[in-house]
Amino acid sequence: MSENLNLLRAFGGFFFIFWTAFNTALVDVVASEQQIPLSVVKLWASAFGGEIKSIAAKYSGSQLLQKKYKEYEKDVAIEEIDGLQLVKKLAKNMEEMFHKKSEAVRRLVEAAEDAYLKHEFDADLQYEYFNAVLINERDEEGNYLELGKEFILVPNDHFNNLPVNISLSDVQVPTNMYNKDPAIVNGVYWSESLNKVFVDNFDRDPSLIWQYFGSAKGFFRQYPGIKWEPDENGVIAFDCRNRKWYIQAATSPKDVVILVDVSGSMKGLRLTIAKQTVSSILDTLGDDDFFNIIAYNEELHYVEPCLNGTLVQADRANKEHFREHLDKLFAKGIGMLDIALNEAFNMLNEFNHTGQGSICSQAIMLITDGAVDTYDTIFAKYNWPDRKVRIFTYLIGREAAFADNLKWMACANKGFFTQISTLADVQENVMEYLHVLSRPKVIDQEHDVVWTEAYIDSTLPQAQKLADDQGLVLMTTVAMPVFSKQNETRSKGILLGVVGTDVPVKELLKTIPKYKLGIHGYAFAITNNGYILTHPELRPLYEEGKKRRKPNYSSVDLSEVEWEDRDDVLRNAMVNRKTGKFSMEVKKTVDKGKRVLVMTNDYYYTDIKGTPFSLGVALSRGHGKYFFRGNVTVEEGLHDLEHPDVSLADEWSYCNTDLHPEHRQMTQLEAIKRYLTGKEPLLQCKYFVKYACDKELIQEVLFDAVVSAPIEAYWTSLALNKSENSDKGVEVAFLGTRTGLSRINLFVGPEQLTNQDFLTAEDKENIFNADHFPLWYRRAAEQIPGSFVYSIPFSTETANKSNVVTASTAIQLLDDRKSPVVAAVGIQMKLEFFQRKFWTASRQCASLDGRCAISCDDEAINCYLIDNNGFILVSEDYRQTGYFFGEVEGAVMNKLLTMGSFKRITLYDYQAMCRTNKESSDSAHSLLDPYNAFFAAVKWIMTELVLFLVEFNLCSWWHSDLTAKAQRLKQTLEPCDTEYPAFVSERTIKETTGNIACDDCFKSFVIQQIPSSNLFMVVVDNECFCDSVPPITMAPIEIRRYVLNYLVHNESLKCERLKSQKIRRRPESCHGFHPEENARECGGVSGLSAKPPLVLLPLLLTIFSR
């Protein structure tokens, strides 16, 4: 009994100690929670908010500007924008602009065909033409080289200040062709007549840039004339015949099956040549074509196994995918061509019946070193008598034992036979099939106008001579084929070449009145394949040291930027050239993708007649759907435009200054003044376009100039009163209006500006561009009227990423959502000045004795100032400025998300570039060594000399020895899809307190909105650590596909994408067959002759470039 009593006493004592300790801990926790009084934080937030708004409003002049617009409220008319009428009008403008370009090309076609008709071929013709590589070149004695006469070149601002000759064109001949081959000399001679038309076209339409004629013989005539420079190897790789504009204009869409012999006899150099031939064929296929590749010996081997029995669109990504698989081919066994031909015919027939392909030309490309039979029974079964599937045969190697069989196959099926003995022969021989496919179009004499997708051709000299950011110009090309009109050769369908002219995408943007689209509105255009021609979200370049083209930049689908449309309703309607309207909620990223604006967009779309393009316009609901018209006299407006602080958006088209050479040096502001005063009659001329100047836009510019004029005097008075800004914390005040008019005032000297790039051409996000309003304007428009939005700039440059703070506010005409935002004003101040105001406010307290119970100076708490997207503007640790709050206080941010104070928005980037590890070969590295390169060249020459005796063994030795692959991992950037989060505060929640249960303590915090701003003060307990809660980051994650919770491998994902085909619209024109076609000319003899050194050179280059 006593033992039980002692045990009970002991337990009672233990329970008392535990209870005391628990209550003490509870008191400590409660005390910890009470360390951050909400009332004190609210006082700090109110004090800081009042102070900073007072500064922002005072120095920006926002209240004055709002008052001035209010004074004109009764004199303006507010109109709701009719989206359908707007998009139809814009499409009509683009149609007229495109028509002008195509008419220029048509005049070139007529001149070329007439010149050829009058010309008689002269095999002995001697003609000194301007060779683009040799012009102005002299020998050691100072004499001009042959074909290199003096050619006057003068810098021209219309052509990016490049030295050009606007009176003459010059001629580029590929390196592997002989400059004086009779076929080239005759072609150059008769095409000289194009010079007059080039000049006349440029006089008629001074907005034209490069015009050219690409000959079927290989030479390229370009206007204006420009000097071409070889690369570091002394080579110009450009061949006009493998450019998309040439191929697209010369041929109709096609379905192609490529059969590659991989039997044992194809070992060594033959297989290398065969692979290069396949690669060259792929180069000739475009987005309107479909293909597949089958390797065969005694069995069939689909190069991409997952595409067994079908064809895939020949876009760049798909072609590159197949090229990667070509490297895996190796030769062995016996070649059973009959099995391969049966498979190819069946596949083409079945695919044609699906209605998915080109539904036009069909072809089988056979690449082999021989055929033991003519396989006429197979052709009789599948292809005769119509011969709708053409057979093109490529005999690899020097042996001609089976040449007759292969030539018979080609001739019996309206194709072409050619023999490829060396790598140097590949390019020229592959091109032959294009001229065969062009025959029906030539016989029909159908000069179809073709437009390419948006692309960047960096091989042209005008691109190479410019800096990366200037030279890489996105453009589309309009092209037309040139035919022989000679009656005696009509059935042969002789293609002379293709003429074309480039249209930069920025020219399209000039036809779009940005002021009518609103702050967030934009226009965009897509091709018949759904690929983007122009869109503000298209990012064709990426930066790593210097700007580079993304591999798939020209085939970005509309669904990849308007990704919220999961069912492709908008995309498919535009591809099908419909006219209509579509609405959806969108999440638009700004500020380098770190911030998001959630809004509802109304999309209006229609087709652009005479082109394969469709146009769309996006208008944001609310203020984005309304436009207002003001009215002031020209005299008033002109007076206020004279102010030195006024500027206009450089990329907006107020007046078309391209119409006359004398106007190209004018700024838009100068052009407006001359237009209004009548000093430049040509600006009012209707010869080139309906109106040289946009009268409606200019009237609104005058109105904005008058209304905003008083702010200049206001800013000047502030600048003169230096005591008001004694510490020079506020550096810049700025203003922008809906018409692209800007005013800027510096409160410090230009050399004292902390951010030297702000509001300059280098700061693209913060100025008016062709496709968007400034960032500070866009963000202010989504803020509550009367409040300011504050932010710090994000930059890759650590030195200036967080030295300034920008504050801006929107000016609305009326006090409702339907009122258009007419302007935005703001200031930029030093970050140090801004932070000092914050710390001063955080030391205030409400106690009568002046003793503060808590202060941001206390080590027990951490104070932050964050914006509505969660980025830190003020922290006790200066290095955290600009960081996302979740990276610093992961537990608190997680709690704010749980409580609903902030919400996470998932975003997607389908144009991302991800780092990946790929296997690379060391074979190329070994060949770069000069001794190995010389040894390789000697081996090649020896191989060529004795190839007819020991081709198989010697080539195998050469191939295996010098291309032995030492595999190693190499990190590269490749296109990928990513998802990443953005964060937005909940506007209705002004203040929140919370406690977070950590490992052994409770962490308390208070968040309080700063009045009249997008900012929040966050005060966090610094004595409780939540290390177990990971930080929340905004890092993108590559999207992986999961099936039944298993990660799908990359190869399976690629296969899934290859098989998935979005809706596309085939080109309206098809010329795949003509009953009068003369198919007797079906190959067997090489076309142009080439000098032996020129034949050797491409192969050596191939060796060096491996």
Side-chain angles (χ1 to χ4, degrees):
M1 183 70 177
S2 61
E3 289 180 3
N4 290 337
L5 186 61
N6 291 334
L7 184 62
L8 184 62
R9 285 173 180 170
F11 176 77
F14 173 77
F15 180 78
F16 177 77
I17 293 170
F18 171 79
W19 179 253
T20 303
F22 174 78
N23 277 281
T24 302
L26 186 61
V27 170
D28 288 343
V29 169
V30 172
S32 175
E33 291 177 7
Q34 293 176 345
Q35 284 179 358
I36 311 174
L38 177 61
S39 59
V40 174
V41 178
K42 184 179 289 189
L43 174 66
W44 294 344
S46 178
F48 175 69
E51 172 77 0
I52 205 66
K53 183 186 178 181
S54 174
I55 292 170
K58 178 177 180 179
Y59 283 93
S60 67
S62 59
Q63 293 172 342
L64 172 63
L65 190 62
Q66 182 72 67
K67 178 184 175 183
K68 287 299 177 184
Y69 272 103
K70 283 288 186 183
E71 290 175 1
Y72 285 86
E73 191 174 299
K74 296 179 181 179
D75 300 325
V76 302
I78 297 179
E79 302 174 6
E80 184 171 0
I81 299 171
D82 186 331
L84 272 179
Q85 288 302 315
L86 177 61
V87 76
K88 288 178 181 178
K89 182 179 179 181
L90 296 184
K92 185 67 177 176
N93 292 343
M94 285 194 177
E95 178 190 338
E96 291 174 359
M97 189 270 287
F98 283 135
H99 180 71
K100 284 171 56 182
K101 309 300 182 188
S102 60
E103 282 302 299
V105 170
R106 195 178 302 277
R107 286 190 288 270
L108 288 170
V109 169
E110 293 170 357
E113 291 180 347
D114 289 344
Y116 180 77
L117 190 61
K118 297 173 184 177
H119 178 73
E120 290 187 11
F121 185 86
D122 181 0
D124 298 320
L125 178 64
Q126 299 293 316
Y127 181 63
E128 284 286 316
Y129 60 91
F130 290 109
N131 184 293
V133 179
L134 301 176
I135 54 172
N136 300 328
E137 294 289 332
R138 298 175 184 266
D139 58 22
E140 294 178 356
E141 298 177 358
N143 300 316
Y144 285 112
L145 296 179
E146 191 176 20
L147 303 182
K149 297 178 292 184
E150 181 182 11
F151 193 73
I152 298 173
L153 298 171
V154 179
N156 189 297
D157 58 319
H158 184 63
F159 296 93
N160 297 91
N161 280 319
L162 290 173
V164 295
N165 187 318
I166 60 172
S167 300
L168 293 170
S169 62
D170 57 5
V171 175
Q172 175 263 345
V173 179
T175 302
N176 65 331
M177 302 183 72
Y178 179 38
N179 281 329
K180 288 198 163 186
D181 185 281
I184 287 180
V185 174
N186 276 265
V188 171
Y189 179 78
W190 66 255
S191 65
E192 281 287 333
S193 61
L194 294 181
N195 277 322
K196 291 181 180 179
V197 188
F198 286 142
V199 175
D200 180 60
N201 279 343
F202 191 44
D203 287 339
R204 287 169 180 251
D205 181 5
S207 67
L208 279 174
I209 52 171
W210 308 99
Q211 304 174 64
Y212 38 80
F213 168 62
S215 168
K217 301 300 180 184
F219 70 83
F220 180 68
R221 180 178 290 280
Q222 183 179 22
Y223 172 88
I226 189 172
K227 173 78 172 172
W228 287 58
E229 302 288 349
D231 62 19
E232 62 273 11
N233 296 315
V235 173
I236 293 178
F238 181 87
D239 188 325
C240 61
R241 295 168 300 174
N242 65 12
R243 315 317 288 172
K244 282 191 175 183
W245 53 265
Y246 185 99
I247 296 165
Q248 206 170 319
T251 66
S252 294
K254 47 198 171 291
D255 298 334
V256 176
V257 177
I258 304 172
L259 302 178
V260 188
D261 184 355
V262 290
S263 62
S265 62
M266 288 288 290
K267 281 185 178 180
L269 183 59
R270 288 183 179 180
L271 187 58
T272 301
I273 294 174
K275 290 178 181 179
Q276 184 60 41
T277 302
V278 174
S279 184
S280 292
I281 293 172
L282 292 181
D283 285 336
T284 66
L285 303 180
D287 294 331
D288 293 324
D289 303 322
F290 290 79
F291 77 102
N292 203 338
I293 306 174
I294 303 174
Y296 71 91
N297 39 36
E298 60 266 29
E299 296 178 348
L300 297 181
H301 310 276
Y302 277 86
V303 170
E304 172 45 81
C306 85
L307 290 174
N308 190 321
T310 188
L311 274 69
V312 68
Q313 188 176 7
D315 61 31
R316 191 186 191 285
N318 290 342
K319 290 189 291 186
E320 288 304 312
H321 179 77
F322 272 80
R323 280 195 176 97
E324 291 175 5
H325 282 62
L326 282 177
D327 290 337
K328 301 174 184 177
L329 295 181
F330 58 93
K332 68 173 185 177
I334 303 170
M336 305 290 287
L337 180 55
D338 55 337
I339 301 174
L341 286 171
N342 275 292
E343 181 75 4
F345 275 113
N346 282 322
M347 181 160 50
L348 286 172
N349 183 54
E350 292 172 9
F351 189 71
N352 190 51
H353 281 91
T354 66
Q356 293 182 335
S358 68
I359 317 296
C360 193
S361 300
Q362 291 190 314
I364 295 173
M365 310 287 198
L366 174 59
I367 303 167
T368 180
D369 63 348
V372 296
D373 192 7
T374 57
Y375 304 99
D376 51 314
T377 55
I378 296 176
F379 299 129
K381 176 182 178 181
Y382 292 103
N383 208 35
W384 295 345
D386 293 335
R387 297 186 291 176
K388 291 292 180 69
V389 179
R390 298 177 188 269
I391 307 295
F392 296 94
T393 54
Y394 300 90
L395 177 61
I396 306 299
R398 292 189 176 276
E399 292 182 7
F402 302 107
D404 289 342
N405 287 344
L406 289 173
K407 184 174 182 180
W408 184 92
M409 281 189 261
C411 295
N413 294 279
K414 287 191 173 183
F416 199 86
F417 163 79
T418 186
Q419 186 167 2
I420 303 177
S421 304
T422 69
L423 286 168
D425 298 335
V426 172
Q427 175 101 344
E428 192 66 30
N429 284 293
V430 164
M431 292 295 172
E432 293 292 347
Y433 96 88
L434 295 174
H435 303 141
V436 175
L437 289 184
S438 70
R439 287 174 186 165
K441 181 182 283 193
V442 179
I443 297 171
D444 284 334
Q445 292 290 298
E446 289 289 342
H447 294 90
D448 298 325
V449 180
V450 300
W451 293 87
T452 68
E453 80 283 3
Y455 72 103
I456 300 169
D457 198 339
S458 58
T459 61
L460 291 170
Q462 53 264 34
Q464 294 175 339
K465 289 172 184 287
L466 294 170
D468 287 334
D469 58 342
Q470 293 178 299
L472 299 180
V473 176
L474 204 62
M475 61 189 177
T476 179
T477 294
V478 55
M480 291 176 68
V482 181
F483 308 141
S484 167
K485 287 184 175 180
Q486 295 173 350
N487 289 329
E488 60 272 22
T489 62
R490 184 172 180 272
S491 64
K492 295 181 180 179
I494 297 177
L495 176 74
L496 301 179
V498 173
V499 294
T501 185
D502 298 333
V503 182
V505 168
K506 64 181 181 182
E507 286 296 313
L508 310 185
L509 298 178
K510 287 182 179 179
T511 66
I512 299 168
K514 184 70 182 81
Y515 69 102
K516 282 198 173 178
L517 304 182
I519 300 164
H520 303 298
Y522 54 91
F524 57 98
I526 64 171
T527 69
N528 58 300
N529 287 299
Y531 298 150
I532 291 172
L533 180 69
T534 178
H535 193 291
E537 297 299 321
L538 178 64
R539 307 192 312 271
L541 307 177
Y542 69 95
E543 287 187 336
E544 191 181 66
K546 66 176 185 176
K547 292 184 179 179
R548 304 172 187 270
R549 287 175 295 172
K550 294 178 180 177
N552 57 343
Y553 77 96
S554 63
S555 56
V556 176
D557 197 89
L558 181 65
S559 60
E560 295 178 303
V561 293
E562 301 288 353
W563 51 264
E564 294 91 345
D565 179 18
R566 296 296 185 185
D567 297 323
D568 288 343
V569 176
L570 173 65
R571 177 200 179 276
N572 293 346
M574 293 183 69
V575 166
N576 289 321
R577 302 180 71 78
K578 293 182 179 179
T579 298
K581 175 187 175 183
F582 173 73
S583 302
M584 67 177 174
E585 184 182 85
V586 296
K587 304 169 183 69
K588 293 298 179 185
T589 59
V590 295
D591 210 357
K592 299 179 175 62
K594 294 180 180 290
R595 306 184 189 277
V596 63
L597 300 175
V598 181
M599 60 190 73
T600 299
N601 275 358
D602 290 328
Y603 294 87
Y604 304 89
Y605 49 86
T606 191
D607 63 314
I608 304 174
K609 301 207 167 26
T611 76
F613 308 134
S614 289
L615 177 68
V617 165
L619 301 177
S620 62
R621 286 189 183 172
H623 56 72
K625 295 292 292 290
Y626 296 89
F627 176 75
F628 85 92
R629 301 178 189 276
N631 190 24
V632 295
T633 66
V634 171
E635 291 74 18
E636 287 180 288
L638 271 174
H639 175 268
D640 290 323
L641 278 178
E642 295 291 344
H643 292 188
D645 69 329
V646 172
S647 63
L648 295 177
D650 286 339
E651 295 184 13
W652 288 23
S653 186
Y654 302 85
C655 288
N656 192 343
T657 54
D658 283 334
L659 296 180
H660 197 278
E662 294 178 7
H663 298 161
R664 290 184 186 133
Q665 297 292 341
M666 286 186 194
T667 65
Q668 289 291 317
L669 193 55
E670 289 171 339
I672 289 176
K673 292 175 184 177
R674 289 177 175 269
Y675 166 74
L676 292 173
T677 56
K679 292 181 179 179
E680 286 290 343
L682 286 174
L683 285 172
Q684 298 165 328
C685 176
K686 300 182 182 180
Y687 176 64
F688 299 111
V689 289
K690 283 186 175 179
Y691 298 104
C693 291
D694 188 330
K695 292 182 179 179
E696 186 178 10
L697 174 55
I698 290 175
Q699 180 59 45
E700 299 311 312
V701 167
L702 296 179
F703 179 81
D704 287 350
V706 170
V707 178
S708 63
I711 206 166
E712 181 190 20
Y714 175 81
W715 283 338
T716 301
S717 66
L718 286 177
L720 292 174
N721 191 352
K722 295 182 179 179
S723 61
E724 293 283 340
N725 190 27
S726 57
D727 52 4
K728 297 181 180 179
V730 179
E731 297 187 333
V732 186
F734 51 87
L735 169 155
T737 75
R738 79 239 149 86
T739 60
L741 181 145
S742 298
R743 293 179 184 270
I744 302 171
N745 183 80
L746 302 184
F747 295 112
V748 298
E751 69 286 347
Q752 295 177 296
L753 285 173
T754 304
N755 185 354
Q756 294 282 336
D757 291 339
F758 185 57
L759 302 177
T760 67
E762 284 72 28
D763 188 12
K764 290 286 187 184
E765 284 234 323
N766 283 306
I767 60 174
F768 287 94
N769 279 333
D771 55 11
H772 65 70
F773 275 57
L775 175 63
W776 46 267
Y777 200 130
R778 285 179 284 165
R779 294 194 65 209
E782 298 309 304
Q783 221 18 52
I784 297 172
S787 62
F788 280 80
V789 58
Y790 300 85
S791 63
I792 60 174
F794 295 110
S795 173
T796 54
E797 301 293 333
T798 308
N800 70 351
K801 80 165 187 177
S802 53
N803 288 340
V804 293
V805 175
T806 303
S808 60
T809 187
I811 307 297
Q812 284 189 279
L813 197 61
L814 305 174
D815 297 327
D816 58 45
R817 185 63 181 165
K818 292 185 177 181
S819 170
V821 173
V822 295
V825 293
I827 61 170
Q828 190 166 90
M829 64 191 105
K830 292 179 181 177
L831 178 61
E832 180 269 332
F833 168 81
F834 179 81
Q835 291 180 335
R836 191 165 68 246
K837 297 294 182 184
F838 175 81
W839 295 123
T840 300
S842 68
R843 295 186 181 97
Q844 297 188 22
C845 57
S847 60
L848 295 176
D849 59 3
R851 295 180 180 178
C852 301
I854 188 172
S855 166
C856 283
D857 294 331
D858 296 347
E859 292 186 2
I861 60 173
N862 283 332
C863 296
Y864 303 93
L865 185 69
I866 66 174
D867 65 20
N868 60 314
N869 298 118
F871 294 102
I872 299 172
L873 281 81
V874 182
S875 169
E876 293 172 45
D877 185 348
Y878 184 84
R879 295 170 298 178
Q880 294 172 349
T881 306
Y883 277 65
F884 177 60
F885 183 66
E887 296 180 49
V888 178
E889 295 281 0
V892 178
M893 190 68 206
N894 188 61
K895 187 70 172 180
L896 291 173
L897 290 168
T898 304
M899 297 168 68
S901 297
F902 277 78
K903 59 182 177 182
R904 181 197 304 262
I905 297 175
T906 301
L907 303 171
Y908 299 92
D909 185 358
Y910 296 105
Q911 301 177 72
M913 299 290 287
C914 296
R915 293 194 177 277
T916 182
N917 291 321
K918 291 188 70 175
E919 287 186 348
S920 65
S921 170
D922 277 337
S923 59
H925 179 73
S926 66
L927 285 173
L928 288 177
D929 183 273
Y931 296 102
N932 286 331
F934 176 77
F935 190 44
V938 171
K939 283 186 177 182
W940 177 83
I941 294 169
M942 291 171 60
T943 302
E944 289 296 302
L945 291 174
V946 295
L947 193 57
F948 67 98
L949 293 175
V950 289
E951 181 180 10
F952 176 81
N953 290 331
L954 189 55
C955 283
S956 299
W957 163 72
W958 174 81
H959 183 72
S960 61
D961 181 38
L962 281 179
T963 59
K965 295 183 179 178
Q967 298 294 337
R968 58 188 176 86
L969 289 178
K970 180 182 179 182
Q971 196 173 75
T972 61
L973 281 171
E974 289 196 341
C976 63
D977 300 338
T978 61
E979 70 173 49
Y980 62 99
F983 301 87
V984 179
S985 64
E986 177 54 58
R987 282 186 174 180
T988 58
I989 300 177
K990 306 296 182 183
E991 58 190 36
T992 301
T993 61
N995 294 290
I996 306 162
C998 301
D999 295 335
D1000 54 1
C1001 59
F1002 283 85
K1003 189 179 188 74
S1004 62
F1005 68 89
V1006 173
I1007 180 170
Q1008 176 69 50
Q1009 185 176 30
I1010 306 295
S1012 302
S1013 78
N1014 67 319
L1015 303 177
F1016 293 86
M1017 176 179 278
V1018 187
V1019 183
V1020 181
D1021 174 13
N1022 193 35
E1023 293 186 335
C1024 177
F1025 298 99
C1026 279
D1027 295 334
S1028 60
V1029 180
I1032 298 175
T1033 72
M1034 297 179 66
I1037 301 171
E1038 186 174 359
I1039 298 173
R1040 306 278 185 169
R1041 300 289 193 272
Y1042 287 85
V1043 178
L1044 299 177
N1045 294 325
Y1046 290 98
L1047 181 64
V1048 178
H1049 293 294
N1050 282 339
E1051 287 301 316
S1052 300
L1053 178 57
K1054 287 181 180 178
C1055 183
E1056 176 190 327
R1057 287 184 178 174
L1058 286 168
K1059 286 183 174 179
S1060 64
Q1061 183 175 315
K1062 290 182 177 290
I1063 290 176
R1064 55 182 293 276
R1065 186 180 178 88
R1066 282 183 292 275
E1068 296 177 1
S1069 175
C1070 171
H1071 306 278
F1073 174 80
H1074 199 287
E1076 299 178 20
E1077 179 184 342
N1078 179 0
R1080 288 189 295 274
E1081 291 191 9
C1082 46
V1085 180
S1086 299
L1088 298 177
S1089 61
K1091 287 188 175 181
L1094 296 179
V1095 174
L1096 175 61
L1097 183 58
L1099 184 67
L1100 291 178
L1101 290 172
T1102 303
I1103 295 171
F1104 276 103
S1105 61
R1106 287 191 179 184

